[in-house]
Amino acid sequence: MTVLAVMKPKGKITEFAQHIIDTFRVLYLEEEISGREFSRIITDHTNPTRVGSIESDSNNDKYSPELIKKALKHFGKTMMDILPDELLDNDQLIEKTRIPILKKMSIKAALNSLMEEGYFDIPRLRSEITAYYNSFLSQEEEKIDSDISSSLENLYIEGRLLKVQLGSDDEQKTNLIRFVRNMELKEY
């Protein structure tokens, strides 16, 4: 018996709606809060999964004017602050996207995004993290391991990531350190 996986169709929204979703994602990840916490903030604690639904690429959800106002207030921004640099085609519907690393993200926000996406649920080498991070960037924007090191160390110091060595006790001295999410924390 063969089981076929059914792919959900992608949601469709305007480029402007996608820009707003991506902008708020960058802002809350820069602030080091999760999508669930951001949901609580903009829905007055009534819907902790609202942002997850908005960001999901399998539906047509987007930020309502009311949620945009609450988000702008939270970040201390105005609509002018978050408008795109160039005019977007507002009439065309595009496939909704949710990529873990956006071009305008800092390394810190990108690592927070990867944590939220579950990337750190399995142990990762620093070089593996750098290679995955760079897979979302153009060659000119690529980073090296040392660019990412301090942000990884900060997540370790904050207790959000743990350092582990895999292998037997005899191999411990030669194994490289891997980073993995601290599963005891509720967020991410």
Side-chain angles (χ1 to χ4, degrees), residues 46-57:
T46 61
N47 190 347
T49 61
R50 185 67 186 120
V51 168
S53 177
I54 290 169
E55 291 182 356
S56 172
D57 63 0

PDB file of all heavy atoms in Angstrom, residues 46-57:
ATOM      1  N   THR A  46      -5.551  37.173  24.030  1.00  0.00           N
ATOM      2  CA  THR A  46      -6.724  36.367  23.686  1.00  0.00           C
ATOM      3  C   THR A  46      -6.449  35.302  22.638  1.00  0.00           C
ATOM      4  O   THR A  46      -7.208  34.349  22.519  1.00  0.00           O
ATOM      5  CB  THR A  46      -7.879  37.259  23.165  1.00  0.00           C
ATOM      6  OG1 THR A  46      -7.436  37.948  21.987  1.00  0.00           O
ATOM      7  CG2 THR A  46      -8.327  38.256  24.224  1.00  0.00           C
ATOM      8  N   ASN A  47      -5.356  35.442  21.865  1.00  0.00           N
ATOM      9  CA  ASN A  47      -5.106  34.486  20.793  1.00  0.00           C
ATOM     10  C   ASN A  47      -3.593  34.291  20.600  1.00  0.00           C
ATOM     11  O   ASN A  47      -2.988  34.901  19.728  1.00  0.00           O
ATOM     12  CB  ASN A  47      -5.758  34.969  19.490  1.00  0.00           C
ATOM     13  CG  ASN A  47      -5.733  33.917  18.412  1.00  0.00           C
ATOM     14  OD1 ASN A  47      -5.042  32.916  18.500  1.00  0.00           O
ATOM     15  ND2 ASN A  47      -6.499  34.164  17.358  1.00  0.00           N
ATOM     16  N   PRO A  48      -2.977  33.396  21.386  1.00  0.00           N
ATOM     17  CA  PRO A  48      -1.523  33.220  21.309  1.00  0.00           C
ATOM     18  C   PRO A  48      -1.025  32.564  20.021  1.00  0.00           C
ATOM     19  O   PRO A  48       0.172  32.480  19.803  1.00  0.00           O
ATOM     20  CB  PRO A  48      -1.210  32.348  22.526  1.00  0.00           C
ATOM     21  CG  PRO A  48      -2.468  31.642  22.832  1.00  0.00           C
ATOM     22  CD  PRO A  48      -3.587  32.565  22.412  1.00  0.00           C
ATOM     23  N   THR A  49      -1.919  32.128  19.156  1.00  0.00           N
ATOM     24  CA  THR A  49      -1.491  31.501  17.905  1.00  0.00           C
ATOM     25  C   THR A  49      -1.807  32.366  16.676  1.00  0.00           C
ATOM     26  O   THR A  49      -1.627  31.925  15.546  1.00  0.00           O
ATOM     27  CB  THR A  49      -2.145  30.115  17.729  1.00  0.00           C
ATOM     28  OG1 THR A  49      -3.566  30.272  17.695  1.00  0.00           O
ATOM     29  CG2 THR A  49      -1.757  29.174  18.856  1.00  0.00           C
ATOM     30  N   ARG A  50      -2.262  33.583  16.896  1.00  0.00           N
ATOM     31  CA  ARG A  50      -2.681  34.441  15.779  1.00  0.00           C
ATOM     32  C   ARG A  50      -1.540  34.722  14.797  1.00  0.00           C
ATOM     33  O   ARG A  50      -1.713  34.632  13.589  1.00  0.00           O
ATOM     34  CB  ARG A  50      -3.267  35.756  16.308  1.00  0.00           C
ATOM     35  CG  ARG A  50      -3.840  36.638  15.217  1.00  0.00           C
ATOM     36  CD  ARG A  50      -5.062  35.984  14.589  1.00  0.00           C
ATOM     37  NE  ARG A  50      -5.518  36.761  13.461  1.00  0.00           N
ATOM     38  CZ  ARG A  50      -5.598  36.287  12.209  1.00  0.00           C
ATOM     39  NH1 ARG A  50      -5.300  35.046  11.960  1.00  0.00           N
ATOM     40  NH2 ARG A  50      -6.011  37.056  11.238  1.00  0.00           N
ATOM     41  N   VAL A  51      -0.368  35.070  15.302  1.00  0.00           N
ATOM     42  CA  VAL A  51       0.754  35.383  14.416  1.00  0.00           C
ATOM     43  C   VAL A  51       1.180  34.133  13.643  1.00  0.00           C
ATOM     44  O   VAL A  51       1.481  34.209  12.455  1.00  0.00           O
ATOM     45  CB  VAL A  51       1.933  35.996  15.201  1.00  0.00           C
ATOM     46  CG1 VAL A  51       3.205  36.060  14.364  1.00  0.00           C
ATOM     47  CG2 VAL A  51       1.565  37.397  15.694  1.00  0.00           C
ATOM     48  N   GLY A  52       1.171  32.981  14.287  1.00  0.00           N
ATOM     49  CA  GLY A  52       1.491  31.739  13.591  1.00  0.00           C
ATOM     50  C   GLY A  52       0.556  31.501  12.426  1.00  0.00           C
ATOM     51  O   GLY A  52       0.976  31.075  11.350  1.00  0.00           O
ATOM     52  N   SER A  53      -0.714  31.787  12.626  1.00  0.00           N
ATOM     53  CA  SER A  53      -1.692  31.637  11.551  1.00  0.00           C
ATOM     54  C   SER A  53      -1.439  32.645  10.433  1.00  0.00           C
ATOM     55  O   SER A  53      -1.486  32.304   9.255  1.00  0.00           O
ATOM     56  CB  SER A  53      -3.111  31.815  12.106  1.00  0.00           C
ATOM     57  OG  SER A  53      -4.059  31.751  11.073  1.00  0.00           O
ATOM     58  N   ILE A  54      -1.145  33.878  10.810  1.00  0.00           N
ATOM     59  CA  ILE A  54      -0.865  34.912   9.814  1.00  0.00           C
ATOM     60  C   ILE A  54       0.381  34.551   9.007  1.00  0.00           C
ATOM     61  O   ILE A  54       0.417  34.718   7.796  1.00  0.00           O
ATOM     62  CB  ILE A  54      -0.697  36.298  10.485  1.00  0.00           C
ATOM     63  CG1 ILE A  54      -2.047  36.793  11.023  1.00  0.00           C
ATOM     64  CG2 ILE A  54      -0.091  37.314   9.523  1.00  0.00           C
ATOM     65  CD1 ILE A  54      -1.957  38.015  11.923  1.00  0.00           C
ATOM     66  N   GLU A  55       1.395  34.022   9.662  1.00  0.00           N
ATOM     67  CA  GLU A  55       2.653  33.706   8.986  1.00  0.00           C
ATOM     68  C   GLU A  55       2.614  32.390   8.216  1.00  0.00           C
ATOM     69  O   GLU A  55       3.462  32.153   7.359  1.00  0.00           O
ATOM     70  CB  GLU A  55       3.800  33.682   9.988  1.00  0.00           C
ATOM     71  CG  GLU A  55       4.129  35.060  10.522  1.00  0.00           C
ATOM     72  CD  GLU A  55       5.293  35.054  11.489  1.00  0.00           C
ATOM     73  OE1 GLU A  55       5.817  33.964  11.824  1.00  0.00           O
ATOM     74  OE2 GLU A  55       5.684  36.145  11.919  1.00  0.00           O
ATOM     75  N   SER A  56       1.646  31.535   8.508  1.00  0.00           N
ATOM     76  CA  SER A  56       1.557  30.254   7.808  1.00  0.00           C
ATOM     77  C   SER A  56       1.377  30.487   6.312  1.00  0.00           C
ATOM     78  O   SER A  56       0.558  31.303   5.893  1.00  0.00           O
ATOM     79  CB  SER A  56       0.378  29.442   8.347  1.00  0.00           C
ATOM     80  OG  SER A  56       0.169  28.298   7.557  1.00  0.00           O
ATOM     81  N   ASP A  57       2.133  29.736   5.519  1.00  0.00           N
ATOM     82  CA  ASP A  57       2.033  29.935   4.070  1.00  0.00           C
ATOM     83  C   ASP A  57       0.912  29.109   3.440  1.00  0.00           C
ATOM     84  O   ASP A  57       0.735  29.128   2.232  1.00  0.00           O
ATOM     85  CB  ASP A  57       3.366  29.661   3.379  1.00  0.00           C
ATOM     86  CG  ASP A  57       3.839  28.223   3.526  1.00  0.00           C
ATOM     87  OD1 ASP A  57       3.141  27.421   4.172  1.00  0.00           O
ATOM     88  OD2 ASP A  57       4.925  27.914   2.999  1.00  0.00           O
TER      89      ASP A  57
END
